[in-house]
Amino acid sequence: MHLHDLAPELLSLILQALDNPRDLQSCIKASTRCFRVYARSQRLILSSVLKNAILPEALHHALACARIPAPTPSDPRLQQTQLPEAFLDKYFQANSFEFPTDCSTTVALCRLYSQISYFIDDYATRAMRALDLEPEAGRTMALALSSTERARLQRAFFRYELYCRVFPVKHDDSCSYYSWRPPPSWFGSLSIPKSCQTPKNRRPNSWWSDR
């Protein structure tokens, strides 16, 4: 029996069981039948794939990135650390963020996952090459990261992204959007060295791209 001979309900379950958005993108590009099934239940399928791709150890931090309010520095009601502290109070509560139920937030989370996956693979490849492995071996080893290694890298990159969103900086003058005191000591677990900067070219632009 061919894949196209399966009922749409079975195709939907197959798509929901894929490991990551990259595999989902390959399926819907290779099969018009899979694309039609995906188009009818985009949020359901994409949410299921994201739950498979974002490992449990990093899921809370990923959802926090998707749920943080956008900064509104022109709003006079926003005073000092009101937004960061209010958000962080919720962030430090266990299971305080639900998975997105709207399509736009789900797609935004998928794009963020694709960006972070790109950086994880690049970081792992460079790390392997630094160990004097063969150039191609570095890429192979990066793709063969264990679930524990990938979970830790996902958590680190999602937390870095969260730090940048909670304490955004206007890159034109290197000043914070907020007029506030330094981050409180209890936020030390998310501290990032000042020498680290957010990449200006944040690829990929589409949720399925990985390079």
Side-chain angles (χ1 to χ4, degrees):
M1 177 180 292
H2 297 288
L3 183 66
H4 288 181
D5 296 331
L6 297 177
E9 294 80 6
L10 291 178
L11 284 177
S12 178
L13 292 175
I14 292 175
L15 294 178
Q16 292 177 48
L18 294 175
D19 290 334
N20 53 65
R22 186 187 307 169
D23 293 342
L24 175 61
Q25 185 259 347
S26 298
C27 285
I28 62 179
K29 285 185 66 176
S31 170
T32 55
R33 184 79 181 277
C34 290
F35 176 78
R36 293 192 189 101
V37 172
Y38 169 75
R40 294 172 186 170
S41 306
Q42 178 180 358
R43 189 200 63 80
L44 173 63
I45 295 175
L46 192 55
S47 296
S48 299
V49 173
L50 282 175
K51 291 176 182 178
N52 298 334
I54 302 174
L55 299 175
E57 295 85 344
L59 183 58
H60 175 73
H61 311 286
L63 295 179
C65 291
R67 292 300 187 182
I68 183 172
T72 55
S74 60
D75 188 348
R77 294 172 296 177
L78 188 61
Q79 299 178 356
Q80 292 188 350
T81 57
Q82 178 181 348
L83 174 60
E85 288 188 358
F87 174 79
L88 291 174
D89 286 341
K90 184 177 181 181
Y91 168 74
F92 284 110
Q93 299 174 9
N95 302 321
S96 54
F97 298 104
E98 299 291 337
F99 209 88
T101 57
D102 60 290
C103 192
S104 60
T105 306
T106 303
V107 171
L109 179 59
C110 190
R111 287 174 177 168
L112 176 59
Y113 166 80
S114 296
Q115 293 171 349
I116 286 180
S117 295
Y118 171 82
F119 289 128
I120 288 176
D121 290 342
D122 181 68
Y123 171 82
T125 300
R126 292 173 183 270
M128 296 300 178
R129 288 175 179 172
L131 297 176
D132 295 328
L133 296 175
E134 295 294 331
E136 293 302 323
R139 177 66 177 173
T140 302
M141 292 293 292
L143 296 176
L145 291 172
S146 68
S147 59
T148 301
E149 293 169 334
R150 189 165 292 275
R152 290 176 177 175
L153 288 172
Q154 282 186 359
R155 182 175 59 186
F157 276 92
F158 276 122
R159 290 175 69 161
Y160 176 55
E161 177 70 18
L162 179 63
Y163 186 96
C164 294
R165 293 191 183 191
V166 172
F167 304 112
V169 172
K170 292 188 292 185
H171 294 286
D172 54 347
D173 55 8
S174 299
C175 295
S176 172
Y177 280 112
Y178 306 107
S179 176
W180 48 273
R181 59 187 179 275
S185 58
W186 45 263
F187 197 68
S189 59
L190 290 180
S191 296
I192 302 296
K194 293 183 179 179
S195 59
C196 299
Q197 298 180 359
T198 305
K200 295 182 180 179
N201 299 324
R202 307 193 64 173
R203 300 183 64 188
N205 295 321
S206 53
W207 66 260
W208 58 78
S209 301
D210 62 335
R211 54 189 175 88

